[in-house]
Amino acid sequence: MDLSAVSAASIQMHTQETLQAVSISMLRKMMQSQQTEAAALIEQLEAAAPPAPERLLDIHI
């Protein structure tokens, strides 16, 4: 193997590692964003729901 082939393979390997690291970083940021949005949605739903009575009895005769 000549020196140019070795250097080309090295560059390609490092490029793939960098692309993978960027992809993982972007996925982590997306997951954090979705967690934040889900938490906000849950808070909104809890605020919109009326408080439940202490005891609820539903009888049909």
Side-chain angles (χ1 to χ4, degrees):
M1 212 184 245
D2 62 7
L3 187 58
S4 64
V6 172
S7 62
S10 176
I11 290 171
Q12 183 179 9
M13 183 182 72
H14 288 294
T15 301
Q16 290 299 322
E17 288 174 353
T18 302
L19 289 173
Q20 184 178 18
V22 169
S23 294
I24 290 171
S25 178
M26 289 176 64
L27 287 172
R28 284 184 180 151
K29 287 191 181 280
M30 286 175 29
M31 286 175 59
Q32 289 174 349
S33 175
Q34 288 179 349
Q35 286 176 339
T36 303
E37 290 175 13
L41 180 61
I42 290 170
E43 287 179 9
Q44 290 176 354
L45 289 172
E46 288 174 347
E54 289 184 22
R55 295 178 187 245
L56 183 61
L57 184 58
D58 189 12
I59 300 176
H60 295 280
I61 298 179

